[in-house]
Amino acid sequence: MKKVRFGVVGTNFITDWVIAGAREDERFELAAVCSRTRERGKEFAAKHSIPHVFTSLDEMASSDVVDAIYIASPNYMHCSQATLCMDRGKHVLCEKPMASNAREAAEMIASSQRNGVALMEAMKSTLSPNFCAVKENLHRIGTPRRYFASFCQYSSRYDKFKEGIILNAFRPELSNGAMMDIGVYTIYPLVALFGAPQSVSAQGVVLSSGADGQGAVNMQYEGMNATVLYSKIANSHLPAEIEGEDGNILIDRIQTPTDVRFYPRQAPASGQEKRVEGEPIGTADSHNEYYHEIREFIDLILSGHRESEINSHATSLATMQVIDEVRRQIGVRYPADEA
């Protein structure tokens, strides 16, 4: 069985989670880690039984011990690090959001094409079996009329923010903020299903650091509206829904779909709408939630493809274009935008 040897950039909890999911695929081999300090690199390597430790990304990307590199560094570093790796002939799985802005995302896509290597954004939700169920059943709702998604999750880092301690999540110099951290989970599936919107209208709350704390976005499609809500300063328990003329699809959590149901349009009985239970169309998934993105990425590499049909280059680029417009309208700028 062909193995794909991975190097990882970033030693935070997200990398821990991805490694746990990746190890459910027998083709995954964790060969190297790159950390800013050798001490931290060795500590992470010991934790995950990684044979090679690097403190230079160029050295890791130039070595013959890895075939692919997973990048989980701060957002503002994604473009430069991914481009360096691809220019050294390595395939790149880049954590979401792919880049600081659409210009950087386009540069990364061009590098993938120029070097003949795979590049994929690590958006796990759209590669899950339950999102596949949404796509497979979308025709049942008839003409789509509305998409709604909400991901609002109060961050413990906001408590620190209110104490005057600005952690990475709310630092625009790192290309961070609520949209980049969790709002992207509401936009990406929309674009994956329906493509880029015709227009975008956004409002938001910008914090004193210059990062957004929350926002609301309305988007227009031909014959359809889309609305998304996102926040790191308030909670919400609202599900996501796709409404059509013949029925609706209800998704419990847009960021991690575990319960997906189809509701056919019901004719009113005796002047009153009859409440019905939705038809479950999703599946129980025994795999770690990060397994599917690794499987998809390894499939690309071993089949010689450069991009995923689901987490495609076009979807990543269009998502970044929407996010750029949202940030422009609510007044969030990053140093990366000035490059």
Side-chain angles (χ1 to χ4, degrees):
M1 180 177 57
K2 178 67 175 177
K3 296 266 190 177
V4 175
R5 301 168 301 166
F6 278 75
V8 297
V9 181
T11 55
N12 58 28
F13 62 91
I14 294 176
T15 309
D16 290 332
W17 295 346
V18 170
I19 289 172
R23 283 186 160 146
E24 293 186 9
D25 192 317
E26 294 181 351
R27 302 168 300 172
F28 173 84
E29 181 179 328
L30 186 52
V33 58
C34 182
S35 178
R36 286 175 295 179
T37 67
R38 183 160 294 277
E39 180 182 9
R40 175 58 179 151
K42 286 184 174 181
E43 178 185 337
F44 193 82
K47 178 180 180 181
H48 292 287
S49 301
I50 304 173
H52 302 284
V53 176
F54 294 88
T55 55
S56 163
L57 180 58
D58 194 6
E59 288 183 12
M60 184 169 78
S62 300
S63 75
D64 60 1
V65 301
V66 297
D67 309 302
I69 295 176
Y70 166 68
I71 295 176
S73 54
N75 299 334
Y76 81 103
M77 303 177 73
H78 287 181
C79 180
S80 60
Q81 291 185 339
T83 300
L84 184 154
C85 294
M86 289 186 285
D87 285 346
R88 303 297 185 272
K90 307 305 183 189
H91 307 285
V92 170
L93 176 64
C94 187
E95 195 48 70
K96 61 80 196 165
M98 179 179 279
S100 295
N101 51 45
R103 176 187 55 78
E104 289 188 350
E107 290 178 10
M108 294 164 67
I109 292 167
S111 179
S112 167
Q113 296 168 345
R114 181 175 66 249
N115 292 293
V117 293
L119 168 68
M120 191 182 85
E121 187 168 1
M123 175 58 71
K124 62 184 175 64
S125 57
T126 46
L127 296 168
S128 68
N130 282 322
F131 186 78
C132 293
V134 171
K135 292 183 65 177
E136 292 167 0
N137 286 272
L138 193 60
H139 68 280
R140 299 175 67 185
I141 72 170
T143 302
R145 292 304 187 190
R146 188 185 308 278
Y147 168 102
F148 172 80
S150 174
F151 188 7
C152 302
Q153 183 172 282
Y154 187 96
S155 172
S156 61
R157 296 171 179 85
Y158 184 52
D159 289 332
K160 292 292 186 181
F161 185 94
K162 291 187 288 185
E163 295 172 4
I165 302 170
I166 314 300
L167 300 178
N168 288 357
F170 296 111
R171 293 176 61 188
E173 63 269 30
L174 302 183
S175 301
N176 277 351
M179 170 56 83
M180 298 292 270
D181 189 16
I182 62 179
V184 64
Y185 280 108
T186 66
I187 301 289
Y188 199 100
L190 169 67
V191 175
L193 290 172
F194 300 106
Q198 296 172 336
S199 64
V200 175
S201 177
Q203 294 178 321
V205 174
V206 179
L207 304 176
S208 59
S209 67
D212 56 328
Q214 69 176 34
V217 187
N218 290 311
M219 289 158 282
Q220 183 68 42
Y221 287 79
E222 183 67 36
M224 187 185 87
N225 306 113
T227 296
V228 304
L229 310 176
Y230 65 93
S231 179
K232 288 180 71 68
I233 59 177
N235 283 330
S236 172
H237 302 284
L238 292 173
E241 186 174 44
I242 306 172
E243 305 169 11
E245 293 187 357
D246 296 333
N248 299 21
I249 292 177
L250 196 68
I251 306 164
D252 61 340
R253 294 179 297 176
I254 194 64
Q255 70 275 18
T256 312
T258 57
D259 186 5
V260 182
R261 294 174 182 268
F262 170 70
Y263 290 80
R265 176 169 54 83
Q266 297 289 312
S270 303
Q272 294 183 343
E273 191 73 23
K274 181 183 178 182
R275 181 173 176 82
V276 296
E277 291 296 325
E279 172 195 342
I281 57 175
T283 58
D285 186 13
S286 61
H287 285 290
N288 179 291
E289 62 183 300
Y290 290 91
Y291 160 77
H292 301 284
E293 69 181 35
I294 296 295
R295 183 189 66 179
E296 175 80 2
F297 186 60
I298 291 177
D299 284 347
L300 295 181
I301 295 171
L302 296 184
S303 64
H305 291 92
R306 301 305 170 227
E307 63 177 306
S308 166
E309 292 184 3
I310 302 172
N311 287 11
S312 67
H313 292 171
T315 297
S316 292
L317 181 59
T319 298
M320 289 308 311
Q321 289 169 339
V322 171
I323 292 174
D324 284 357
E325 180 59 18
V326 170
R327 290 197 296 110
R328 186 191 71 79
Q329 291 188 23
I330 67 175
V332 172
R333 295 287 294 176
Y334 299 146
D337 298 329
E338 312 304 327

